[in-house]
Amino acid sequence: MTEIPPASGAIVGPDGLARPRWAAVDPMLRDYYDTEWGIPVRFEHALFERLSLEAFQSGLSWAIILRKRPGFRAAFADFDPDRVAAFDEDDVERLLSDAAIVRNRLKIRATITNAQATVALREQGGLVDFVWGFQPNETPQPRTQADVPTSSEASVSLAKALKKVGFVFVGPTTMFALMEAIGMIDTHLLDSHRRGSSGVWG
């Protein structure tokens, strides 16, 4: 693999495609980057899953969460908001004994709380319209990973708004990561083969 000149954070892989360093080596992360990360998510079920996994990722590496995603899906009823919203204390204890997920009581409870908030938010148009309503007018233009911010005015506003309607574990940094993952902003490096692939920013 070779660096792309000049001054780029992108790495050219054996397939000739340029990716950021974090997605250039691990096959699982490379596949996630190539096929999923930054693709617009506009369905409640999928968006609730992304929001939940980003909350679990807080303080951990995304690779850990991605490797455990099948376990998370099995444990959390495939992230069906209605089913997760009905989880009780027995479910919390069940999840705390499930080695297939990240066993953190606060994050488990947060997922249940956020499922309940997702269901309640349908009366205001739903989670998808609510979140996408905070899409900024501009997106970053990073040449290197160091150019990618970890939060923004939009992610701060989104975090505050979600908290007001009952969501938890939705801080500005976590919400910025969500915005990246669901294509609300494009933080693909300018030299990456995925830059502009969301169709949102041209």
Side-chain angles (χ1 to χ4, degrees), residues 8-21:
S8 172
I11 305 287
V12 177
D15 57 4
L17 299 177
R19 302 174 180 87
R21 190 175 300 276

Side-chain angles (χ1 to χ4, degrees), residues 2-194:
T2 57
E3 301 279 352
I4 297 179
S8 172
I11 305 287
V12 177
D15 57 4
L17 299 177
R19 302 174 180 87
R21 190 175 300 276
W22 68 264
V25 179
D26 185 321
M28 177 190 67
L29 290 174
R30 184 171 61 239
D31 181 66
Y32 172 69
Y33 179 80
D34 284 351
T35 64
E36 189 172 352
W37 190 73
I39 297 296
V41 174
R42 299 184 186 273
F43 296 97
E44 180 193 77
H45 193 132
L47 185 52
F48 172 64
E49 176 182 342
R50 300 298 183 83
L51 187 149
S52 300
L53 293 179
E54 291 293 350
F56 269 102
Q57 186 271 334
S58 180
L60 302 172
S61 75
W62 181 244
I64 290 173
I65 302 303
L66 201 56
R67 288 190 180 93
K68 287 181 174 287
R69 183 160 62 169
F72 275 112
R73 286 174 169 171
F76 284 97
D78 203 29
F79 289 102
D80 180 326
D82 292 288
R83 294 175 65 188
V84 177
F87 280 10
D88 57 19
E89 285 305 309
D90 288 340
D91 290 297
V92 172
E93 295 307 315
R94 168 180 61 83
L95 293 165
L96 284 169
S97 66
D98 190 344
I101 68 170
V102 173
R103 292 176 286 185
N104 180 297
R105 186 180 295 272
L106 290 176
K107 293 178 180 180
I108 289 170
R109 290 187 183 279
T111 304
I112 298 170
T113 296
N114 290 345
Q116 294 165 348
T118 296
V119 172
L121 196 56
R122 291 170 185 165
E123 296 182 0
Q124 300 180 44
L127 180 65
V128 173
D129 286 349
F130 190 92
V131 170
W132 278 87
F134 288 85
Q135 181 182 345
N137 294 323
E138 297 180 345
T139 191
Q141 303 282 326
R143 286 198 58 78
T144 71
Q145 202 62 40
D147 296 332
V148 180
T150 57
S151 66
S152 67
E153 183 177 335
S155 75
V156 170
S157 296
L158 174 58
K160 289 180 179 178
L162 284 170
K163 289 175 182 177
K164 285 183 179 179
V165 292
F167 288 80
V168 293
F169 263 89
V170 288
T173 300
T174 300
M175 290 304 94
F176 188 83
L178 177 71
M179 291 164 64
E180 292 179 288
I182 67 171
M184 275 179 67
I185 53 176
D186 187 347
T187 57
H188 291 291
L189 302 184
L190 293 179
D191 288 327
S192 168
H193 81 97
R194 290 290 320 284

